């Protein structure tokens, strides 16, 4: 099986599993307990939190553990909105885990245009800001196209306007260089399973001096911001997974993607990349003219190649990608596009085999 859907989730690597096994030995460790077992677990969490904070260049107390990217986005959006209610600035191409809670909170939403570039421009953000703005919420990298936000410029504008900047960093982690985090980012979300870590664990980083309302109450965990017994195995696994997010691994993945795209664009007439802006290292969203992408996806799967139509959270939908439509592409183009997302575990041989199958399948115009 050739797995090219790493923006949906990534394989758990052996080293991460080994780190998690500490909590799978049958000893009942509750990090909130004052017993010997509890203190031992608490010590491990403190160590892991410190390692994670160091990776991002933030303070340990700014790292809040959650169940994943969706919870982190809800936590940041709800918490900052309750702190100051007003217009929210975002885009129509955000992940559903951000758009849904924003739309539930208010109808006072300003959607920045993204166009064929795939990311909002700093000038449009500057024009949209007012003193009443509650916060800005944008993806550091779009999970469907891989297009990067001009993060430093956006952060500088937000800082100058003294408006909180919240970033969905889920698709950014391990795929682009962004550390240490710009200080102007008020909050950012991450999910472990997007970088060869375990599912069910994520973080929300909330920078000082911001203090927001908790999403869950009823316990004193996570500085009273996220009640509930900590996922010790997940936390240990997340910390370990971050240690493999190196420049060398990003460059390896980017070279595979470049090889893949170059071959397809040269050999498939009319094929194009969706997203003209600068992209992260691992994502290719490709338009195949006159091809039914859903049928192409099924036929690839039959040949042992896994890709996707877009976000895993919308994979059961028969509707075209809201991201591609939000970029101004036609419904027909959206329905003829597939996303391929690579990881450091992929090989050139796998990419060559995928190219060969794609050439064979598209030459017969899968409709």
């Amino acid at each position: 099986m050739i797995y090219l859907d790493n923006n949906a989730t990534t394989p758990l690597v052996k080293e991460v599993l080994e780190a998690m096994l500490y909590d799978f030995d049958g000893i009942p460790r509750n990090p909130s307990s004052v017993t010997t077992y509890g203190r031992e677990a608490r010590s491990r969490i403190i160590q892991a939190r410190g390692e994670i904070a160091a990776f991002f260049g933030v303070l340990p107390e700014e790292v809040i553990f959650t169940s994943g990217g969706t919870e982190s986005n809800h936590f940041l959006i709800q918490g900052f909105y309750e702190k100051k209610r007003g217009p929210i600035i975002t885009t129509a191409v955000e992940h559903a885990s951000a758009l849904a809670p924003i739309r539930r909170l208010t109808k006072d939403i300003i959607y920045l245009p993204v166009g064929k570039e795939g990311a909002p421009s700093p000038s449009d953000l500057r024009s949209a800001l007012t003193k009443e703005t509650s916060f800005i919420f944008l993806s550091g990298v779009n999970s469907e196209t891989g297009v990067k936000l001009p993060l430093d410029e956006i952060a500088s504008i937000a800082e100058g306007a003294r408006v909180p900047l919240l970033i969905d960093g889920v698709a950014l982690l391990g795929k682009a260089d962004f550390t240490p985090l710009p200080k102007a980012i008020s909050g950012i979300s991450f999910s472990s399973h997007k970088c060869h870590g375990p599912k069910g664990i994520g973080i929300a980083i909330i920078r000082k001096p911001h203090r927001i309302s908790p999403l869950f109450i009823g316990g004193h965990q996570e500085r009273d911001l996220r009640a509930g017994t900590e996922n010790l195995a997940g936390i240990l696994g997340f910390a370990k997974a971050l240690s493999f997010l190196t420049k060398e691994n990003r460059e390896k993945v980017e070279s595979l993607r470049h090889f893949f795209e170059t071959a397809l664009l040269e050999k498939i007439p009319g094929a194009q990349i969706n997203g003209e802006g600068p992209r992260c290292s691992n994502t290719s969203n490709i338009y195949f003219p006159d091809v039914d992408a859903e049928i192409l996806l099924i036929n690839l799967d039959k040949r042992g190649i896994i890709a996707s139509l877009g976000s895993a959270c919308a994979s059961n939908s028969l509707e075209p990608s809201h991201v591609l439509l939000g970029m101004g592409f036609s419904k027909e183009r959206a329905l003829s596009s597939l996303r391929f997302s690579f990881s450091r575990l992929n090989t050139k041989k796998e990419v060559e085999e995928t190219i060969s199958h794609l050439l064979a399948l598209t030459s017969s115009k899968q409709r």
Side-chain angles (χ1 to χ4, degrees), residues 234-254:
I235 290 169
L236 298 179
F238 197 174
K240 187 64 176 180
L242 292 179
S243 68
F244 295 100
L245 303 186
T246 64
K247 180 181 178 182
E248 292 73 23
N249 281 331
R250 285 198 307 273
E251 289 175 344
K252 173 195 173 183
V253 172
E254 190 163 19

Side-chain angles (χ1 to χ4, degrees), residues 166-198:
L166 310 182
I167 297 293
D168 181 340
V170 171
L172 184 67
L173 188 58
K175 304 169 182 69
D177 183 16
F178 64 95
T179 56
L181 288 179
K183 291 185 178 180
I185 293 178
S186 305
I188 188 166
S189 59
F190 296 106
S191 186
S192 168
H193 77 102
K194 304 291 187 173
C195 62
H196 303 288

Side-chain angles (χ1 to χ4, degrees), residues 29-32 45 219 221-222 226-232 235:
R29 301 182 179 92
N30 185 328
S32 298
I45 287 181
Q221 294 88 351
E222 300 303 296
R226 203 275 187 181
T229 301
E230 296 92 339
N231 178 356
L232 177 58
I235 290 169

Side-chain angles (χ1 to χ4, degrees), residues 108-175:
D108 195 358
I109 306 168
I110 299 170
Y111 295 100
L112 301 177
V114 297
K116 300 299 191 297
E117 288 286 313
S121 72
S123 60
D124 283 335
L125 173 61
R126 191 178 287 109
S127 299
L129 283 165
T130 69
K131 292 181 180 179
E132 287 72 39
T133 301
S134 175
F135 59 80
I136 305 157
F137 189 99
L138 299 169
S139 293
V141 163
N142 185 278
S143 64
E144 291 197 22
T145 64
V147 172
K148 296 190 292 185
L149 184 73
L151 191 56
D152 289 336
E153 294 175 80
I154 294 292
S156 178
I157 292 169
E159 184 176 35
R162 304 186 74 176
V163 172
L165 173 62
L166 310 182
I167 297 293
D168 181 340
V170 171
L172 184 67
L173 188 58
K175 304 169 182 69

Side-chain angles (χ1 to χ4, degrees), residues 1-13 175 193-197 199 253 256 260 282 297 300-301 303-308 310-312 315 339-351 353-354 357:
M1 190 70 72
I2 298 174
Y3 184 73
L4 299 178
D5 194 19
N6 289 280
N7 281 9
T9 194
T10 53
L12 187 74
V13 296
K175 304 169 182 69
H193 77 102
K194 304 291 187 173
C195 62
H196 303 288
K199 300 177 183 69
V253 172
L256 289 176
F260 176 74
N282 83 315
L297 184 72
L300 284 171
D301 190 79
R303 297 181 180 213
I305 299 168
I306 298 176
S308 72
S311 170
S315 62
R339 181 187 70 182
F340 301 86
S341 44
F342 303 85
S343 86
R344 61 185 173 85
L345 301 184
N346 291 124
T347 65
K348 188 174 182 181
K349 183 178 180 181
E350 289 179 331
V351 175
E353 185 175 339
T354 302
H357 286 297

